[in-house]
Amino acid sequence: LVVLVVFACKKKDDGGTPAPADPLVGNWLIDEIDVQGDVTFAGTPLTFTGNGANMVGGYNLKADGTMTYDTQYDIEVVITGLGNQTIPMSQSGSGTWKKEANTLVIIDQNGTQRYPIKVVTADILILDQDTTISQAGAAVNLELEMTLRK
């Protein structure tokens, strides 16, 4: 006598909704850049403001935590007492990204960069960065706000 028993199981539907997709994942294009700051050059304190121009490219943040970027843009600055200057910028590379609290952390060939997130929605990302960089032997205090869109 052969007994054949077949079990059929149905997955229990708990009525829950799937976890929302991470709004940071996607291809973000640079839309706007605003900068301001100060520097002491040859003993003279100078302030500046500026905006991005000729912006091309952006950042591709992938769900697996990897990322690539390729950007070109100009920063058009007005330096108090010295007038206007255009600074061309170009960056490309790859690495990893993660969100820690309200900060976007990017790790790439240049090291680790932390960008406080001011706004993140499904299609707008606004990042802040306050930093000091060395430029031509002077310490430049820089506040940058970058708006990206999907």
Side-chain angles (χ1 to χ4, degrees):
L1 178 67
V2 175
V3 177
L4 181 62
V5 179
V6 177
F7 292 96
C9 296
K10 183 177 178 184
K11 185 176 178 182
K12 182 180 175 184
D13 182 5
D14 64 4
T17 57
D22 187 335
L24 287 173
V25 172
N27 192 31
W28 294 96
L29 301 177
I30 297 176
D31 187 58
E32 186 177 336
I33 299 173
D34 295 305
V35 297
Q36 65 181 16
D38 61 78
V39 61
T40 299
F41 186 74
T44 304
L46 304 169
T47 59
F48 61 88
T49 59
N51 298 297
N54 307 314
M55 295 170 283
V56 177
Y59 301 81
N60 187 3
L61 305 180
K62 300 174 187 172
D64 66 0
T66 62
M67 52 108 35
T68 59
Y69 58 94
D70 188 9
T71 63
Q72 296 86 38
Y73 53 91
D74 295 329
I75 300 289
E76 297 177 345
V77 295
V78 177
I79 304 170
T80 304
L82 295 179
N84 300 353
Q85 183 177 5
T86 299
I87 304 167
M89 304 292 287
S90 178
Q91 302 174 341
S92 63
S94 62
T96 61
W97 72 275
K98 60 185 172 180
K99 183 179 178 191
E100 290 181 351
N102 217 23
T103 301
L104 175 62
V105 179
I106 293 177
I107 303 167
D108 65 5
Q109 67 273 11
N110 299 312
T112 301
Q113 299 295 320
R114 297 179 181 282
Y115 300 96
I117 298 170
K118 190 171 183 180
V119 173
V120 62
T121 68
D123 60 353
I124 296 173
L125 175 61
I126 302 176
L127 303 174
D128 277 332
Q129 186 179 35
D130 295 338
T131 189
T132 300
I133 58 174
S134 180
Q135 184 74 25
V140 179
N141 299 308
L142 175 69
E143 296 175 32
L144 177 135
E145 181 178 286
M146 181 181 290
T147 301
L148 302 110
R149 296 184 188 273
K150 283 187 184 173

